[in-house]
Amino acid sequence: MRQLLALLLLVLGMASAQFSVENLKPSLAVVGGTQGFGAELSWHCLLFQPPVGEVRPALDVAYVGGGPVNGAFLFRYLYPLAEGLNGGVGLGVAFPGFQSANFYFRADAEYDLKAVLGLPAFLGGDLGLAGGTLAAQMKLGYRF
């Protein structure tokens, strides 16, 4: 039943993201945290914008050195906290090693480094719970 619910959430999320596929934004980040060091490739697009903040479906694929490739699909609500700083929460499905689907909750913060560096770079941190496993990571990334 959990896998069916996870698959349904993934399909509905991807179907809703099709409305703004032309606004698909990829990013690549170097990550380090409780699971080790590696890289993360993400895609997200704006699904809708409430009066404050924005809701974005996100697809993440990550590789941590010496470990399996992991994936996640989630809906993120990002809220502007200060100039260039966004905080948010996300709910979705994580696929550790692309073996099984687990419920995924994540709280994160991102600071946009574009004003400082003149590049579309960001510095972020995540704290998440996937299938009963707590994970935290810091990331430095580039938005294409």
Side-chain angles (χ1 to χ4, degrees):
M1 184 65 183
R2 289 175 63 194
Q3 289 180 343
L4 182 60
L5 181 61
L7 180 63
L8 181 62
L9 181 64
L10 178 67
V11 169
L12 287 175
M14 292 181 88
S16 64
Q18 293 300 316
F19 294 117
S20 27
V21 76
E22 65 275 0
N23 296 325
L24 203 57
K25 308 262 189 224
S27 66
L28 181 62
V30 175
V31 298
T34 57
Q35 297 175 338
F37 293 94
E40 178 182 85
L41 184 60
S42 298
W43 295 269
H44 64 87
C45 61
L46 181 64
L47 184 59
F48 65 90
Q49 202 159 9
V52 177
E54 56 192 31
V55 176
R56 295 180 171 271
L59 176 64
D60 299 337
V61 178
Y63 173 74
V64 178
V69 175
N70 299 314
F73 179 79
L74 66 153
F75 289 97
R76 294 175 63 199
Y77 172 70
L78 295 171
Y79 184 83
L81 299 173
E83 182 83 25
L85 178 64
N86 290 324
V89 294
L91 290 174
V93 182
F95 301 96
F98 289 100
Q99 302 277 329
S100 63
N102 294 315
F103 175 75
Y104 184 39
F105 170 78
R106 181 170 88 183
D108 56 13
E110 285 186 359
Y111 183 69
D112 189 8
L113 297 172
K114 189 171 189 174
V116 177
L117 300 175
L119 297 170
F122 65 93
L123 179 65
D126 301 338
L127 179 63
L129 184 64
T133 303
L134 186 66
Q137 67 182 11
M138 293 292 295
K139 61 175 100 174
L140 177 62
Y142 184 86
R143 288 188 174 89
F144 297 96

